[in-house]
Amino acid sequence: EDRPSQRDMAAYLTDAYNDGGVVLLEAGTGVGKSFAYLIPALLWARANHERTIVSTNTINLQEQLLGKDLPVVRGLLDTFREPVPKEGRPGVPELKAAQLKGRANYLCFKKWAHAAQTPAPSEPDARVIAKCLLWLQHTETGARAEIGLSRDTAAFIRLSAQGAAGCPAADGPCFLRKARADAAGADVVVINHSLLLSDVVMGGGLLPPHDTLIIDEAQHLEPVATRHLGFQVVESL
């Protein structure tokens, strides 16, 4: 389906990639904005080997980007890639995408192994330890979103990479390190506004080096920035 507003948005973003600077765009429902920025981002990555970070506010949009939109765009662009490089010409590398979350979203195997040996853990901790015992046999990401923890999120965070030290464990995986390595090797990295602002507060280091930042759902950036960059004064009676 031809969408003139989508083509216009992609053209504005292409100009921004070529010329630099800041572009502010408002796209209503039905424009198809994710395709409009993913196609220039991946084409730029292929031509210039420069990474783009996409920051969103909601988990739903992150899952849409990684599970649906990025695979479609990569498939479209791969149709223009030479399946077999001509003699004397290097092959075009496969375009890669990754998701990066905050430390509290990844299980720390070292913490979990220690907790599993602790006698008489609390009921929430025991549930999470048991769930992780089965989950660890097949998970590749160690990310909290993969398991149902509607009432045990706090227990998972206690076992997460948040505040972990002396890592990685010698006898198990480090999911946080793997996620960061995947992001460092990706052309497009999808994050959320909270991690973006945490990187600002830390002065950098949480995100892989990147040349372009796209902030989707930017209308939600201000309250997230207020939480990370501001402070609260509470009057005590």
Side-chain angles (χ1 to χ4, degrees), residues 86 93 150 210:
K86 295 180 180 179
S150 57
H210 54 282

Side-chain angles (χ1 to χ4, degrees), residues 10-11 13-15 17-18 34-52 70 73-81 92-96 187-188 212 214:
L13 288 163
T14 301
D15 289 341
Y17 271 101
N18 287 316
S34 58
F35 277 31
Y37 62 68
L38 289 176
I39 290 176
L42 290 176
L43 285 173
W44 185 263
R46 174 173 288 178
N48 300 280
H49 308 289
E50 293 182 354
R51 180 180 298 110
T52 293
L70 274 162
V73 173
R74 282 186 299 184
L76 290 171
L77 297 183
D78 281 344
T79 61
F80 299 99
R81 182 175 61 162
V92 178
E94 180 184 1
L95 295 167
K96 297 180 180 180
D187 300 294
V188 172
T212 305
I214 295 175

Side-chain angles (χ1 to χ4, degrees), residues 4-237:
S5 55
Q6 187 181 55
R7 284 191 281 108
D8 290 343
M9 182 176 174
Y12 279 121
L13 288 163
T14 301
D15 289 341
Y17 271 101
N18 287 316
D19 302 332
V22 177
V23 175
L24 180 63
L25 299 171
E26 184 175 7
T29 303
V31 170
K33 62 182 183 299
S34 58
F35 277 31
Y37 62 68
L38 289 176
I39 290 176
L42 290 176
L43 285 173
W44 185 263
R46 174 173 288 178
N48 300 280
H49 308 289
E50 293 182 354
R51 180 180 298 110
T52 293
I53 286 185
V54 178
S55 179
T56 77
N57 184 62
T58 61
I59 294 176
N60 288 340
L61 180 54
Q62 292 178 41
E63 292 177 348
Q64 176 188 320
L65 291 173
L66 290 158
K68 180 181 177 183
D69 296 346
L70 274 162
V72 169
V73 173
R74 282 186 299 184
L76 290 171
L77 297 183
D78 281 344
T79 61
F80 299 99
R81 182 175 61 162
E82 294 178 6
V84 179
K86 295 180 180 179
E87 185 177 354
R89 292 176 56 182
V92 178
E94 180 184 1
L95 295 167
K96 297 180 180 180
Q99 184 178 22
L100 186 60
K101 303 178 181 180
R103 297 175 68 100
N105 289 278
Y106 299 101
L107 181 73
C108 173
F109 183 85
K110 185 177 180 180
K111 284 185 177 182
W112 173 84
H114 177 74
Q117 298 174 3
T118 302
S122 66
E123 183 177 344
D125 289 342
R127 278 197 300 266
V128 173
I129 291 170
K131 284 186 177 183
C132 290
L133 178 62
L134 301 175
W135 175 53
L136 280 167
Q137 298 178 27
H138 58 79
T139 182
E140 295 183 359
T141 68
R144 184 177 68 197
E146 289 186 358
I147 54 178
L149 295 172
S150 57
R151 56 177 177 167
D152 296 323
T153 300
F156 182 93
I157 291 176
R158 288 194 290 273
L159 300 178
S160 73
Q162 184 72 45
C167 294
D171 57 348
C174 179
F175 295 113
L176 176 62
R177 177 169 291 193
K178 181 182 182 300
R180 288 179 172 175
D182 290 345
D187 300 294
V188 172
V189 180
V190 179
I191 65 170
N192 62 17
H193 296 345
S194 181
L195 183 58
L196 174 65
L197 271 298
S198 294
D199 185 68
V200 172
V201 172
M202 294 290 293
L206 299 181
L207 304 178
H210 54 282
D211 303 277
T212 305
L213 170 66
I214 295 175
I215 301 177
D216 200 342
E217 298 180 311
Q219 70 271 24
H220 300 287
L221 185 63
E222 183 179 354
V224 179
T226 301
R227 289 197 300 270
H228 280 76
L229 304 177
F231 61 91
Q232 184 177 10
V233 177
V234 179
E235 182 182 4
S236 59
L237 301 178

